[in-house]
Amino acid sequence: MDSGSATHTRTYRRLVQGTTINGTTLLSTDYLNHFNEFVMMLELVADMPDMAPELEQWQPKTYVQHFADSGFSHKDLAIAAYDHVPAEFRRPFDETIAAIDAMICETVPRVGALLVEHESEAARHHMLTIAREMRGMIERASAIINGARVEDLDGAEGDSTMGQGDIDALFD
């Protein structure tokens, strides 16, 4: 990071004080509401397959798109600060979000195909499995937003999700 970037990052860290934007990472957990909405919809469709068209209409949004479309009180600051997120948080955050988006893009057509084939029990099982996996990925993104470093998130056995105790420890 050059000195101009470092200066901007320090400036944004001061600007985000008193907001829900993390002062270390310059990221906001408000973005994760976008994915929590998808998980809730997935669980709803698992029990009410006739709601599948709503699931099919859901579209991923980038961090910037989410805030541009939101009523978040500090949305302009969240958008501006995103360009100054330190690389040690930005890279794993973007990778985690890309993995969530890929999972969504694979899940929706799969669920639709299973429902068309009248395989509602297989579709239900698939949706609930994906919802559980996505929760783990959302927890990972939340941990990154709240300052966890990727090397602290990845377990020795390759498990990249954090348990509730790990997340609680971030706030001690």
Side-chain angles (χ1 to χ4, degrees):
M1 182 184 315
D2 65 32
S3 62
S5 295
T7 300
H8 285 119
T9 298
R10 282 193 302 274
T11 299
Y12 278 101
R13 284 181 169 155
R14 283 192 296 274
L15 290 171
V16 302
Q17 289 178 1
T19 72
T20 59
I21 302 168
N22 185 283
T24 300
T25 66
L26 301 178
L27 294 165
S28 174
T29 56
D30 185 80
Y31 177 55
L32 301 180
N33 292 337
H34 176 61
F35 298 109
N36 287 322
E37 174 187 293
F38 180 83
V39 170
M40 289 187 320
M41 200 176 320
L42 197 59
E43 292 171 332
L44 180 68
V45 173
D47 291 327
M48 299 174 15
D50 56 316
M51 300 290 293
E54 283 81 359
L55 184 68
E56 292 169 358
Q57 292 174 2
W58 192 92
Q59 293 294 314
K61 290 183 181 181
T62 66
Y63 187 87
V64 171
Q65 288 170 327
H66 168 77
F67 285 107
D69 295 345
S70 80
F72 182 61
S73 60
H74 298 100
K75 70 183 194 175
D76 293 333
L77 182 56
I79 292 168
Y82 187 61
D83 287 334
H84 302 284
V85 171
E88 68 263 27
F89 302 111
R90 177 74 183 258
R91 184 190 51 74
F93 176 76
D94 287 348
E95 289 171 356
T96 301
I97 297 307
I100 294 170
D101 284 343
M103 185 179 289
I104 291 168
C105 290
E106 292 170 9
T107 296
V108 172
R110 172 87 172 117
V111 166
L114 288 169
L115 291 174
V116 166
E117 296 166 8
H118 303 289
E119 297 288 339
S120 59
E121 194 53 41
R124 183 176 194 287
H125 175 75
H126 182 69
M127 286 184 273
L128 295 177
T129 299
I130 294 300
R132 186 174 50 253
E133 290 175 16
M134 284 190 71
R135 272 201 189 86
M137 294 177 79
I138 292 167
E139 286 177 12
R140 177 185 175 88
S142 178
I144 294 166
I145 289 168
N146 286 303
R149 299 190 188 276
V150 71
E151 55 271 9
D152 297 334
L153 297 176
D154 293 330
E157 298 174 25
D159 181 348
S160 63
T161 60
M162 296 179 71
Q164 187 61 48
D166 297 323
I167 293 169
D168 292 342
L170 291 171
F171 300 101
D172 290 339

